[in-house]
Amino acid sequence: AALALGENGVTPDDPSIKNALDFVRSSAPSNVQTYDISLAILFLTRVGDASDRELIHHLGARLSAGQLNSGGWTYVCPAVVPAAPTGGSVTNKPKGNAEAGRRAGRMNAAGGVRPGIGDNSNTQFAVLGIWAAGRAGLDVKGTMIEVDRRFRGSQSPGGGWGYTGPGDTDAMTCAGLMSLVLAKGQKTLENQMVNRLPDKDKPEGPGGRPKMESDTQIDRGIQRVEFYANNINPGSTLYFLWSVERVAVALGLSRIGHVDWYNRGASVLLQTQQVDGGWKSNRGDLSDTSFALLFLRRSNLTEGMPQLVTNRSGGDSTENKMRAGKLDDLKRSVKTPDTPDK
C-alpha cells in the first residue's frame, strides 16, 4: 500500500509513508515470509534512504538463502542471515556490518540448496526483490542463474507458465515472463560490469544503449501474454492486470503485440472502481486497490530494466510517460463504456 502511495506522488515526509517505513524497518529484519521480504526490499529501495542499504542487503541475502533447488521459492525463507540495523545514521552502526551483508549475499547467491518446487507467485515476488537488491549492490548473479534455469525448463509449449511449473494461466504466464526477462537482464548487466560485452549486446549506433539479444523463449512468452492481455475485461483479477503492467513497463512496451494493454486495462479500472475509491477482486481490498494504482501509474518496480531493452531516446518512452499526466488526462485518453471501440 505504501509502495502504491509513493508511486502516485505521496512524498517520503508524509505521515503515511513515515509510519509505513518505521513499521517495515522494525519488522523486516526478523521476517521470514517471502512476500513480505520482497515487498520490504521494493519499498525500501523506492524510498531511497542510504541508511537502509545494509538492511536491503540482508533481506536480499535472506531471499537468496530461501531459493529452492528448483530455482523457485515457497512461502518461507530460512532466517540464516543476521538482522541488520533498521535505518538511522550510518555512523551509529557497528563497523563491518555492510561488508558482512555483502559477503552473505555472495555466499548465498547461488541458492538452490533447499529441496522443493515452490510456486511461481512467491517466486515472482522473490525475483523482483532480488533484482532490486542487486541494483542496491548485492551480488545476485548465482541466484538469477537458477531463476533462469527454472523458467526456461518449465515453459509450456504454448509459451505460458503455471502456478508450480508447466502449465498456462494468465497471471503466472506474466510471472514466468517477468522472471525470465529479469534473469536475462541480470546476465546483460554482469557482462557490462566486467566490460566484456559480446557483439550482440554492444550499443546499437551512436549513443545507443546495450540491448538484450533476441530470445525465442521470451518472444513466445510475450506472444502468450498478448493473448491474455487481449482478453482483459471487468472480470479480470487486479493481480493479473498488475502482472501485465509490470511486464510491459519492464520491456518498455506501449503495446504487447497488437494489444494496447494500458488503455484496455485502464478502461476496465475506471469501470470497476468502487464508490469508496478502491477496487475489489480476489486478493483483498487493500492489495487489489494497490495493484490498480500501480497499474494506472505505470509504475516501474524494475529500475534499470527498460534501458536494457530500449534506447532512452527511442520512440516508445514508456518509462517517461508513466509519470506524466493527471487523472483528468487519463479519463480523456482511455475508452469508457460510452466510447465506441474502433
Side-chain angles (χ1 to χ4, degrees):
L3 195 60
L5 288 174
E7 289 295 296
N8 281 275
V10 180
T11 58
D13 59 356
D14 186 273
S16 60
I17 302 295
K18 282 185 173 181
N19 290 338
L21 186 57
D22 288 342
F23 177 81
V24 170
R25 283 172 171 166
S26 63
S27 63
S30 60
N31 201 320
V32 295
Q33 299 292 319
T34 302
Y35 286 122
D36 293 359
I37 298 169
S38 303
L39 284 167
I41 293 172
L42 290 172
F43 178 52
L44 292 171
T45 56
R46 298 307 264 182
V47 170
D49 190 325
S51 66
D52 291 317
R53 185 180 177 87
E54 296 174 27
L55 177 56
I56 291 169
H57 286 179
H58 277 265
L59 294 175
R62 184 171 296 155
L63 273 183
S64 288
Q67 190 176 35
L68 305 172
N69 59 7
S70 63
W73 279 262
T74 186
Y75 288 91
V76 177
C77 295
V80 296
V81 182
T86 57
S89 172
V90 185
T91 58
N92 292 333
K93 296 178 182 180
K95 187 176 181 181
N97 271 6
E99 181 59 29
R102 285 190 287 272
R103 282 201 304 270
R106 286 197 293 269
M107 177 182 65
N108 291 319
V113 297
R114 303 170 63 210
I117 300 298
D119 64 81
N120 287 338
S121 182
N122 273 288
T123 296
Q124 73 158 328
F125 273 82
V127 173
L128 286 167
I130 289 292
W131 174 267
R135 297 289 295 174
L138 189 71
D139 181 357
V140 299
K141 179 180 179 180
T143 305
M144 283 299 203
I145 287 174
E146 295 302 307
V147 168
D148 186 81
R149 180 176 62 82
R150 175 187 178 89
F151 287 98
R152 289 196 183 280
S154 60
Q155 189 175 26
S156 72
W161 285 269
Y163 180 66
T164 57
D168 202 323
T169 64
D170 53 11
M172 291 301 97
T173 292
C174 293
L177 177 58
M178 168 61 69
S179 299
L180 198 57
V181 164
L182 290 183
K184 183 97 170 181
Q186 182 64 36
K187 183 178 180 181
T188 303
L189 287 175
E190 296 288 342
N191 286 337
Q192 292 180 36
M193 285 188 279
V194 297
N195 199 27
R196 288 162 55 187
L197 283 174
D199 289 341
K200 58 182 176 297
D201 286 330
K202 287 182 179 177
E204 296 187 354
R209 292 182 64 84
K211 290 188 178 182
M212 296 191 303
E213 72 237 55
S214 61
D215 187 303
T216 57
Q217 288 194 260
I218 289 177
D219 291 343
R220 285 168 51 213
I222 291 173
Q223 290 172 2
R224 194 57 179 161
V225 171
E226 177 188 8
F227 167 80
Y228 284 121
N230 194 44
N231 289 286
I232 289 174
N233 62 75
S236 297
T237 68
L238 277 301
Y239 184 46
F240 165 58
L241 288 184
W242 176 65
S243 299
V244 170
E245 180 268 339
R246 283 182 301 104
V247 168
V249 173
L251 288 170
L253 301 175
S254 60
R255 289 178 176 269
I256 300 177
H258 298 290
V259 178
D260 184 344
W261 63 271
Y262 184 75
N263 269 297
R264 188 178 291 268
S267 297
V268 164
L269 291 175
L270 291 181
Q271 294 175 49
T272 56
Q273 188 176 24
Q274 305 293 302
V275 293
D276 64 358
W279 282 266
K280 296 181 179 179
S281 181
N282 67 339
R283 300 283 174 172
D285 295 1
L286 191 61
S287 295
D288 283 328
T289 299
S290 300
F291 292 149
L293 291 173
L294 290 167
F295 180 100
L296 289 171
R297 195 57 170 175
R298 279 177 279 210
S299 173
N300 180 18
L301 302 184
T302 54
E303 181 183 356
M305 187 63 230
Q307 291 86 351
L308 296 174
V309 184
T310 58
N311 292 329
R312 277 182 175 172
S313 59
D316 187 18
S317 56
T318 302
E319 191 172 23
N320 292 330
K321 290 190 297 183
M322 72 177 183
R323 297 191 183 281
K326 299 179 180 178
L327 182 59
D328 288 341
D329 299 322
L330 170 67
K331 289 180 177 178
R332 283 195 294 268
S333 67
V334 303
K335 297 172 183 174
T336 66
D338 297 327
T339 305
D341 192 359
K342 296 180 180 179

